[in-house]
Structures are given as C-alpha cells and as structure tokens.
Amino acid sequence: MAALMVSAWPDWVGELRLVDHHCHSVLGAALDPERFGALLTEAPAPAPGADPFDSAVGLSVRRECAPVLDLAVHAPAAEYLARRSELGVTEVNRRLFAASGTARLLVDHGYRGDDLLGLDELASAAGAPVGEVVRLEAVAEALADTGVGAQDYPAALAEEVARRTSAESVVGCKSILAYRYGFDVDPTRPSSAEVAVATDRWLLLREREPAAGRIADPVLLRHALWCGVDAGLPVQLHTGFGDPEEDLHRANPALLAGFCRATEGTGTPIVLLHCYPYHREAAWLAHSFQHVYLDVGLASTYVGHRAAELLAEVLELAPFGKVLYSSDAFGLPELYLVAANAFRRAVHQVLGGWARDGEAAEPDVHRIAAMIAEHNSAGLYRLPVAA
Amino acid sequence: MAALMVSAWPDWVGELRLVDHHCHSVLGAALDPERFGALLTEAPAPAPGADPFDSAVGLSVRRECAPVLDLAVHAPAAEYLARRSELGVTEVNRRLFAASGTARLLVDHGYRGDDLLGLDELASAAGAPVGEVVRLEAVAEALADTGVGAQDYPAALAEEVARRTSAESVVGCKSILAYRYGFDVDPTRPSSAEVAVATDRWLLLREREPAAGRIADPVLLRHALWCGVDAGLPVQLHTGFGDPEEDLHRANPALLAGFCRATEGTGTPIVLLHCYPYHREAAWLAHSFQHVYLDVGLASTYVGHRAAELLAEVLELAPFGKVLYSSDAFGLPELYLVAANAFRRAVHQVLGGWARDGEAAEPDVHRIAAMIAEHNSAGLYRLPVAA
Amino acid sequence: MAALMVSAWPDWVGELRLVDHHCHSVLGAALDPERFGALLTEAPAPAPGADPFDSAVGLSVRRECAPVLDLAVHAPAAEYLARRSELGVTEVNRRLFAASGTARLLVDHGYRGDDLLGLDELASAAGAPVGEVVRLEAVAEALADTGVGAQDYPAALAEEVARRTSAESVVGCKSILAYRYGFDVDPTRPSSAEVAVATDRWLLLREREPAAGRIADPVLLRHALWCGVDAGLPVQLHTGFGDPEEDLHRANPALLAGFCRATEGTGTPIVLLHCYPYHREAAWLAHSFQHVYLDVGLASTYVGHRAAELLAEVLELAPFGKVLYSSDAFGLPELYLVAANAFRRAVHQVLGGWARDGEAAEPDVHRIAAMIAEHNSAGLYRLPVAA
C-alpha cells in the first residue's frame, strides 16, 4: 500500500498539527553508537551482541529518519550513525523536529532533566512552544532534600505542588506511582496520620542511606498523587509499557478503576499514559468515567507500523474526545519523528480506512483526526488556540 | 471494500437467521436527545459537552440506522434524532427490528424492566418470538422483599429459581456476580451455615437501610449462582465489558476457571457473555471445558467495524460449536440493528475471508456461520427449530 | 490473497530452515477417530457430539495435511481419517514431517514419553536431528521414586539435573511450574531449610498416597526451577495457553518479572513458551531483560491463519533476536506441519508485508525471517550450524 509512505499522505493527514501532550527533552550532546542504541530501547541496554536496530523501532528510525538526513530510506545503521555525527546534534535535532510537524510540546522535565536540553533550548530546537508537566515524585524528593521536617512535609508538598502548578508555563502534573510501587494500592487519599508516620520513616531512611532517597512508600506516593489531584490541573499517570523497573502487570491501568471513582467528583481530569498492552482496558476507563483520558504514546513509537493496530484498539471503546497524541520521546530526536509519523500513518490507515470502507463520512473523519491530534489536548490543558 | 456495505452482502450472510441469545427489551416512550445519548454509552452519561455520536457506536448508528429511517447514510446526529421523533417510537422500533433480521430474542428482563416494553410487546415490536432469561439476583432481591426469614431464604431461593426456570418461556438463568462483587471469590457451592449467616446479616441490613437492599455479599451471590446451576438450564454470566459499577479486571472470565472446574460434572452449561477485552481468555475456557460457551455481545455493538477483529480473536481458540450471537441491546432499537449488522459484517469479513484466502471451503464457511448465528444457541437452549 | 497458499510462497519463505526449539514426540501407533480428535485439542476431549475438526486447527489440518496425503485440499474429516489409516502411521509420519521442512527438533520427552516414539525413532521419522530438553519436574519425580531421603533430595536433584543437562544431546531444561502451581510464587531461590521441610512433607505424602506423587509444592517447584537455572543451559518455561489443569491467568508470563530480575545476573537464558494470549506482555519481558526469549508455539498451531496476527503482536516490542520458532506439537504429525506452515505463512504475511509496504528493506526482511526460524535458536542453544 503505497499510501503508507510519507510522501503519499493526503493533505488532511500531512497537515495535522500535533500537540505532543507528554514527552521529555532531547540530548544536546553527541552520542556514540552504544549510547544511541541504549536510547532505542526501554531496557537499560540491548542484549550483548544484539543490533539495537533489529527491532520495530530500529526499522522505523531507518525508514523515517534516514531520508531527513539525506540518506536513502532504510539506510544501514552504521551509515545512519555516521551521517548523524557528520551533521552534528544541533542540525539533526532541528531537522528531525521540523519533519515531525509537532506544533506544541508538553514536557515532563523531572526525569534525568540535567542530561537534556532545558525547556527554552528545547523550544528553540523544536521550533514549537513548550509547556511543562510537573513530576510529582521529583517535587517530593526535592522537598525532602531541603531538610523539611516530617511534621511539615505533608502540607509543604501540597503547597509546593500548588505553587509549581500555578506557574503560567505549567499545564499538568504527572505521577509515576506505577514505577515506584504499582497500582495495587488503596486508591483513596491517605489520612494525615498515615502520611505523618510514613514521612517520618522516609526522612529517617534518607539520613541513613542516601541511596534510599527515592520516594517509594505507597502512602507517600498516594499523598503526592492526591496533592496533584488537589492542584486541579490534569494529572497524568504512567501506565503500562515502561522500563523494567516496573512490574508491567501492576501498572495495568484497569487497576485504577477505584482511583477513577475516588477522583470522579474532584473536577480534576485523569490522563492515562502509554497504557499498552492494556490500552483496551484503559479505553474502557475513558468510556466509563467522564474525567478520564488516554493515549498510546511510547508504545506507538516502539511498535513500528503496528501503531495503526493500537489506535484501532483504543478507538473501539474510547470516546473520540478522550484520545490524545503523545510521543513520550526521550533523548533522541528520532523518537519524536518516529512517533509523529507512526501517528499520522495510523490515522491514515484507521480513520482513512473508515472513509474508504464507508464506515464514516469523510468530513467526520477529518474532524475526528484533528480532535485526536490537537483539539482534545488543547481543550483538556486549556492551551492557547492556534490562529 | 465495497462488500462491507449491507447492500453488497452475499446471500449466505444476508440470510443468516440470528438468535439473539442475550438482550434486554426496548423503551416504548419517546426520548429527548440527552436520554438518547445516555443510552449510547455504558457510562451513566457522556462527558459534559461531548457529542455521544463521536464514538464507534455513534458512527455505527448514523451508518446503519439512518438509511432505515429514510435518511442518507451518515446523516448528522441532529437530523437523525429529528427524524426519529417524527416517525415515533413504534414505527422506529418496528423498522429497526425488521432490518436486523433477528429471528428470536432471549431476554433478561430483570434489569430496569419496568422502564421497558413487556416481553409480549417486545415480541410484537420485534416481530419475533421471545424467550426469557431469569436474572438470579433479581429473584433473590424479590424474595427478600417478601419478608422471608433468614432460615427459610436459602431453600426458598432454590425453590423459586427452580419454579421460575420451569416456566415454558424460560430458557436459562443469568448471574451478575461481576457487577455485585467480582470473580475473585471461592467458586464452590457455599455451605448452608455460611449462607445462613450471610442471609441473616443481609436481611437485617435491609430492615435498617432500604438503600442496602441489593444483594452484594459474595456468599449470597455464590448461593444464588449455584441455585442457577442446580436448575439445570444454561447459566449466563456477565463478564468483561460493562458499566462502571464493576471493576473490569475483576470481571475477567479467566478468573472463572475454578468455577468451570466446579460445575464440570453438573450437566449445566456455562455461558460467558461479552468477555471483551478478555475474549481470548474466555475462548480458552470454551476450548478447555466441554460445558463452556461464549459470545462477544455488547462489545461487538460498541466497537464499530472492529467487531470483525473481535470475532477473529474469539475463533482463534474457541471451538466453532461454542460461539454464540448476542446483541445485549438495551433500550434503543438502534442497538439491535447495529449489533446484527456488526455481526453479519464480521462474519462476512472473517469467515468469508477464510473462503477468499483458501483457508476453508465455502460450504464449511456457510455452515459455520449458521452455527454461530443460530444453531449453536438453538441446541444449547433447546429452542424450537424453524421450518 | 493467493499468496497465502503454500504453492505460492516465494523462495525466501519456502526455504526457511526451521529449528523447532520446543516440541514433543509423535505416536507410532494407529489412532481411531476418537483418539485423533482428542489430540486435536488441549482439552481432554472435544465436547460430546462436537466435530473436533470444527475449530481453527481442524480447518488447518484439512487444508495443510490433506494434499500431502494425496487428497484434495479441505477434504472432509472422514475422508482424511480413512486415508490416514490406509497409508499407515509410518508413512503418514514420514510425509507430514518431510512437508514441514523442519531442520532440527528440540524435544521435551518427559511428558507421556512412553506413549510416543523414542528420540532416535523420532529423528528417523522426522528425517532431522533431535536435541533433548530436560523436564525438571519429571527429573524430580523420578528422583523421588528412587527412595531418596528428604535430607539428600535437595542436593541430589541439583546433581541429577546437572548430570542430565551435561549430556551431549541435551540443550536445555523446562519448567511446568505454571501447570503444577502458577507464577504467583516468590521468584527467588528457596532456602535450604524451606526445601528440607517441603521435601519431608512431599516424600511422606508419596508413601501414603501414591496418587499424590506429582511434585506440586511451590517450594519444591521453585527448587527444581533453580536447579535448572544453576545448570546454566537455557531454561524454558511453559506460560500461557495450555490444557485445563492450569489456571490461565496464573500462567501469565508477566508474573515472571520478579523471576527475570532474580535470574538476570546468572548467565542462564530464560525462554518463555507459548505465552498466548499474554504474548504482548511476554514480548515486553524480552524487550526489558537481556536474557529473556520467547515464542508463540502451540498457540500458532491452534489459531489457524491468525498465526500472522500473533507474530505481528510479538514483534511489536520483542527485539528480533529474541523470537524463536516452535510447534509444541505432541502426538500427531499433523501438528508439526500445521505449525510449520502457519509460521511460514505468518512470516510471509507479516515480514513480507513490511517489504511490500516499504516498512523495511527486502534484505532485512529475509535476514530477520531466518533469525526467527533458525539462527536465534542456533545461537541460544549453541546448535551445530548447518553447512
């Protein structure tokens, strides 16, 4: 199907403006092949001796990115990496972002932020405005680093989250409860007494073992999450596909049904990120609860041209006004372009297929595509509307 | 693929007689747009401001039903609702049922039955005979309403279920254990002593708090379920996709493996309803246990033209003699037609595809299609055979 | 799509050399229709009155095997079984194996091995070299049968597994923890004290109740598994789809994340077998952990031409160097041919589709196909390389 090629996309696909509602920043420094390979997987590194390009995402990089660096489509990995070095990071970043057609980036800069371009630099590299998503656990750990006392910590975190989220550049919060514990927790707001006890234990542990500095107690994680709920902006949750620090099945968004019920009356939207391979279950949550949204970001970058299947699976139950676009790209500018092209191709195949098969009328298809690409996020995060 | 259109179906698809082995009745009163929208989702209502037609099932209504009401395919929602009002409920019910080609309805009338047409009225509206499925929890609650004593309740329920299921019009029972608790229960028959204690607690609670009248204690739910097993007719279980009163993951039919083992020797067939998105797991149960059957009703109504994918996933492991057709339609006559057309389209794509690809011979394909549409249910529920 | 037919496969598909890295042996005796039907399902037998050929695998046998026995494609079951008897077991075994193009078999002979051809006979029937996979639980039970004392058992099993796996013909071990208990266990090596207590209990039980001879205690199962890990050869684990002795959801490979972490530093590869319908979760494990491999054997035999969908789902996240081919065939030579053709067809559809759609370059597609068919297993099990 020639129409799968970028050059053959119809205007309504090629001209979609993408709001990438969840991503990270890119590296500004040159990378050797080994570090490049390590960024092309959610594992710490590919298996010894394995070619990191021998994966769906690796094929995607050779297909989508090589032509943007003036190489033939499917250029071999070595050739690609050599050309990448030749052009230099700044030029590679610029070209790949430009090709992605990303109109706005909402960035979680709380994970390894020091290794990456700052948000202003990212906006400049991407040629697009950048909004910020506050990572709740990073705020909690930074607060603990200030030497706050156990009695003060609970209220201080609530205040700090409120302060951070009131900044004009901030559009939402994010929780990584799935990484630090799992969704098999009591979904309700913990009591002050519980939080006080857990804080005491955590701060003591931090004094004794600096390596134990990360917030991992389920009560403290719930407290941080509810500070995010109280702040009122959309709360993103990492769910499903991620790196091996998590137990995938304990990151199943279906386990959040109780949390969805508990937050239903708060007015705070809940946004399920990634979700794969539990995206049908996540779509049921978006179908069932008025305040729940979802994406299949990260997954749709990694699965190659199966991104169309993921989108089709999500649209089985999810109301079209609840589905968002994201890349969850980290580090490599390639990942923003692969994600964007995977999304456009999926929209073309799935929604375009509806029109071709008589499943839906063409104007509806174009309208729904624009909702998912841009308008749903614009409404949810109250973003400035493009002219 | 033009063959996806109703008008292009070959005879062997168009002429399938559908036994809808699990559905509810329709509304006999006019609906304003808001109530119509609320019936087009398993959520209590669509999100504020969202168009309920912006979903796979919404597109399906505009595609399948608009032409039956003399409108253009894909007519806008407002136009559709206006035409619906103009024609009146009776005519709309009549037209949409007739277009669905449903040959027989097996109806659970125990859920909000008072809002819906009675079974005789339904048979008349649908132009098809109606059989009845007894909702076990409704029988239990009605029995509790009679003022039965705690000592008498266990045996009285068994008797009442036996009495109800011995009526000529009754073809089976149904359990909503998934809604009232979940499948994470001991699957075996509870002891008399357990049931007595739980009954005592429940009846006391009902006296004090009328709002707590619903049966929700896992021991009582198991007792009701086993009363159904003892009655000997097929026992349907709601599994998977449903409204947000349930925890989806606790409604996973895979959790019923123990119950399947416990009922294996009873001679009572077990019928897994809906199953989505756990229908591959449900198909494994139907593969593994001789007395287990399944459908993907409700789901195949809601997922639009992805119903074909659901059918294909079920037929991976399920023996063809174990798969049934149902709509699980409730309230809107549109849902019977959408379900029926989704099923025929799925059969045409999936089973027709087997013939087109040389996977199976044409006569086998037609035979298997008729098994799933009609003959499997006819055998399971011992229905009168059509001339 | 005519290209789905065997005769229309391009050379790069037809000439793939298959290393079947996990299978059992075949029956050497004639079968009546009832026993044949019972081997065409993972259930103990098909439902009474049901035609065992009315399933995806049944259609596959009529399609793939009938022509090899000189019948028309899709020949009726009765005709097929008659022709099978006429030719005799030896000739049927020879023809079906030859048609499968299997280049090497790695065989678990620890399950009902006495009913099946011995490994030398199998090699002769299959016309291919045979390697052996040691079934850990069978070794444990055989050891218990020797009258070993409880104090000696733990070390004796470790020694016996080491001895068995040091044989030149042996390429790996296999665990059926999923059948005997489930993956909801502590994944770490049990302590000597725990093993001693459990052994004592087990050996006592064996004395009293011969029927309780099977190893089923989770501590003993973990001990046996870790004996396999210590032996250093790849450890295969039955996961997902299997017969109804297991609880499917407790055989979900996602539950093995902790075991993957616990074995990460040992140097022993972990190989997830079958995985269906949890193969996307298994692929995440293979993506996340350097020492984890997987297949969708057994499932791809049973699901008919949906094997392509399974392969596509696996290749979403699994690095291409981690995916293996297997049939998991048992008893019927038909199952080796159905598995092999299902695999080739899936490769043609999925990987060939990459080339047709411009997703990947043709040489990469051929190379990746050969990795999955042969080279990944050859490297993992250190098999002799074909000329």
Side-chain angles (χ1 to χ4, degrees), chain C residues 199-291:
Chain C
T199 305
D200 207 48
R201 199 164 45 213
W202 183 40
L203 295 183
L204 216 63
L205 197 67
R206 285 174 67 95
E207 275 174 37
R208 290 193 200 140
E209 307 174 40
R214 303 214 310 181
I215 182 170
D217 181 292
V219 169
L220 295 180
L221 291 165
R222 284 163 56 207
H223 173 251
L225 176 58
W226 279 92
C227 289
V229 171
D230 290 342
L233 297 182
V235 173
Q236 303 179 343
L237 284 122
H238 169 97
T239 77
F241 179 36
D243 71 50
E245 286 207 14
E246 71 180 4
D247 280 349
L248 184 62
H249 65 284
R250 295 173 63 207
N252 183 340
L255 300 172
L256 291 170
F259 180 68
C260 292
R261 277 186 211 104
T263 53
E264 205 169 10
T266 62
T268 297
I270 303 301
V271 188
L272 308 173
L273 303 174
H274 328 318
C275 302
Y276 178 94
Y278 309 114
H279 43 290
R280 278 172 160 172
E281 284 155 281
W284 176 80
L285 290 171
H287 178 113
S288 298
F289 295 95
Q290 299 194 348
H291 65 314

Side-chain angles (χ1 to χ4, degrees), chain B residues 40 45 89 109 164 223 230 243 277 306 379:
Chain B
L40 215 49
V89 181
H109 205 53
R164 289 286 302 278
H223 173 250
D230 290 342
D243 71 50
R306 295 283 297 178

Side-chain angles (χ1 to χ4, degrees), chain A residues 85-238:
Chain A
S85 295
E86 187 178 71
L87 285 169
V89 182
T90 307
E91 177 64 7
V92 168
N93 280 345
R94 193 192 61 72
R95 285 193 188 193
L96 295 174
F97 267 119
S100 77
T102 308
R104 184 180 296 271
L105 303 165
L106 306 185
V107 179
D108 165 14
H109 204 54
Y111 176 60
R112 294 172 53 188
D114 297 345
D115 300 343
L116 305 172
L117 292 187
L119 297 188
D120 288 348
E121 294 168 297
L122 175 63
S124 164
V130 167
E132 199 178 344
V133 173
V134 171
R135 194 174 176 103
L136 294 164
E137 291 79 6
V139 176
E141 289 164 2
L143 177 62
D145 285 341
T146 64
V148 67
Q151 295 89 326
D152 298 334
Y153 168 87
L157 181 59
E159 275 163 41
E160 181 63 7
V161 169
R163 192 187 67 77
R164 290 285 302 277
T165 54
S166 66
E168 205 184 338
S169 62
V170 171
V171 297
C173 299
K174 178 186 173 187
S175 159
I176 55 161
L177 170 59
Y179 273 124
R180 296 300 174 81
Y181 188 83
F183 295 145
D184 43 349
V185 292
D186 179 344
T188 62
R189 185 192 297 273
S191 72
S192 305
E194 284 176 289
V195 178
V197 169
T199 305
D200 207 47
R201 199 165 44 213
W202 183 40
L203 296 182
L204 216 63
L205 198 67
R206 284 174 66 95
E207 273 175 37
R208 291 193 199 139
E209 306 174 40
R214 303 214 311 182
I215 183 171
D217 181 292
V219 169
L220 295 181
L221 291 165
R222 284 164 56 207
H223 173 250
L225 176 57
W226 279 91
C227 289
V229 171
D230 290 341
L233 296 182
V235 173
Q236 303 179 342
L237 284 123
H238 170 96

Side-chain angles (χ1 to χ4, degrees), chain C residues 130-183:
Chain C
V130 167
E132 199 178 345
V133 174
V134 172
R135 193 175 176 102
L136 294 164
E137 291 78 7
V139 177
E141 289 164 2
L143 177 62
D145 285 341
T146 63
V148 67
Q151 295 90 325
D152 297 333
Y153 168 87
L157 181 60
E159 275 162 43
E160 181 62 7
V161 170
R163 192 186 68 77
R164 290 285 302 277
T165 54
S166 66
E168 206 183 338
S169 62
V170 170
V171 298
C173 299
K174 178 186 173 188
S175 159
I176 55 160
L177 170 59
Y179 273 125
R180 295 300 174 82
Y181 188 83
F183 295 144

Side-chain angles (χ1 to χ4, degrees), chain B residues 6 9-18 100-101 103 344 369-370 373-374:
Chain B
V6 170
W9 287 340
D11 288 349
W12 69 272
V13 172
E15 292 170 4
L16 287 171
R17 294 166 47 87
L18 304 187
S100 78
R344 289 181 204 273
E374 178 184 14

Side-chain angles (χ1 to χ4, degrees), chain C residues 275-322:
Chain C
C275 302
Y276 178 94
Y278 309 114
H279 43 290
R280 278 172 160 172
E281 284 155 281
W284 176 80
L285 290 171
H287 178 113
S288 298
F289 295 95
Q290 299 194 348
H291 65 314
V292 176
Y293 296 74
L294 85 164
D295 73 31
V296 282
L298 185 62
S300 53
T301 309
Y302 272 90
V303 302
H305 83 341
R306 295 284 297 178
E309 184 63 21
L310 271 53
L311 181 63
E313 288 170 354
V314 160
L315 295 178
E316 289 168 358
L317 277 199
F320 303 150
K322 299 295 202 72

